[in-house]
């Protein structure tokens, strides 16, 4: 957070090594340490290293905590984010779609994490040039955010801005300006 990523990464690596040695590689604290190191790698531009760690973390979470555990769903989303950062939209989109389906099934369609997962699917569609698919998903996200969290919630405002941006990208300025 202080902009000292070069100093932080060896510490993340040591925390992971120590937690894995003391607690075991599958312990939730070890898995959290691996996720933190992967995020640091991603921030440092070491995308391939981040993807490798996120893949391992997801596999361990599925093995230890099961495919429906909230931490497993988070790990799947983090791997999707890493794929997106690596400009691998097919892999990212597939994982975002699976995460959304799992969150809807496990947590329900109105859970805030489900709404975030739906927004991630819309973003993946938009950034991969699938604007016609993205816009209805963005509309769904906005309607759900307004209904569940209210029109003035920060997440609702973000959803409104995302839909406006998608409409602008689709050359629908009237709709974009209205939002």
């Amino acid at each position: 957070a202080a902009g000292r990523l070069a100093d932080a990464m060896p510490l993340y690596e040591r925390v992971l090594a120590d937690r894995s040695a003391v607690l075991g590689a599958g312990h939730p604290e070890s898995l959290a340490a691996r996720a933190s190191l992967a995020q640091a790698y991603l921030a440092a531009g070491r995308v391939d290293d981040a993807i490798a760690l996120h893949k391992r973390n997801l596999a361990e979470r599925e093995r230890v905590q099961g495919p429906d555990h909230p931490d497993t769903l988070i790990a799947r989303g983090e791997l999707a984010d890493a794929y997106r950062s690596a400009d691998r939209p097919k892999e990212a989109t597939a994982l975002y779609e699976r995460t959304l389906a799992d969150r809807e099934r496990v947590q329900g369609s109105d859970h805030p994490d489900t709404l975030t997962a739906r927004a991630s699917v819309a973003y993946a569609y938009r950034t991969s040039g699938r604007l016609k698919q993205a816009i209805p998903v963005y509309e769904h996200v906005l309607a759900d955010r307004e209904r569940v969290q209210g029109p003035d919630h920060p997440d609702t405002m973000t959803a409104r801005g995302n839909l406006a941006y998608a409409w602008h990208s689709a050359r629908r300025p009237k709709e974009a300006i209205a939002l």
Side-chain angles (χ1 to χ4, degrees):
R4 297 175 53 192
L5 193 55
D7 294 330
M9 284 212 297
L11 296 173
Y12 281 124
E13 290 167 344
R14 181 165 180 198
V15 169
L16 174 58
D18 290 349
R19 284 186 178 170
S20 295
V22 173
L23 302 171
H27 190 279
E29 292 297 323
S30 299
L31 297 171
R34 186 176 298 114
S36 294
L37 177 58
Q39 291 302 100
Y41 283 163
L42 199 59
R46 295 174 56 181
V47 179
D48 291 337
D49 292 331
I51 288 172
L53 282 180
H54 279 308
K55 277 183 169 180
R56 182 170 176 208
N57 215 41
L58 176 57
E60 282 292 308
R61 291 249 185 225
E62 288 175 337
R63 184 183 68 77
V64 173
Q65 296 175 302
D68 293 340
H69 191 280
D71 291 341
T72 303
L73 300 177
I74 289 169
R76 189 171 299 116
E78 289 172 338
L79 177 57
D81 291 342
Y83 280 137
R84 188 184 71 222
S85 293
D87 198 27
R88 293 169 60 178
K90 284 185 180 181
E91 292 101 328
T93 301
L95 283 174
Y96 285 132
E97 289 171 337
R98 180 171 174 203
T99 301
L100 173 58
D102 289 345
R103 284 200 181 275
E104 286 176 334
R105 181 177 46 78
V106 173
Q107 296 174 305
S109 60
D110 288 344
H111 191 281
D113 292 341
T114 303
L115 301 179
T116 299
R118 189 171 297 116
S120 294
V121 168
Y123 180 79
Y125 289 164
R126 183 180 62 77
T127 58
S128 62
R130 296 163 60 184
L131 205 51
K132 286 185 180 182
Q133 287 179 284
I135 288 174
V137 179
Y138 277 128
E139 290 170 338
H140 187 185
V141 171
L142 177 57
D144 287 347
R145 292 271 189 203
E146 287 177 336
R147 180 177 49 78
V148 173
Q149 296 174 302
D152 296 328
H153 190 279
D155 292 341
T156 303
M157 290 184 227
T158 298
R160 194 173 295 118
N162 289 339
L163 177 57
Y165 185 81
W167 278 344
H168 172 76
S169 298
R171 297 184 178 20
R172 293 171 61 180
K174 288 182 183 177
E175 292 96 330
I177 290 169
L179 282 182

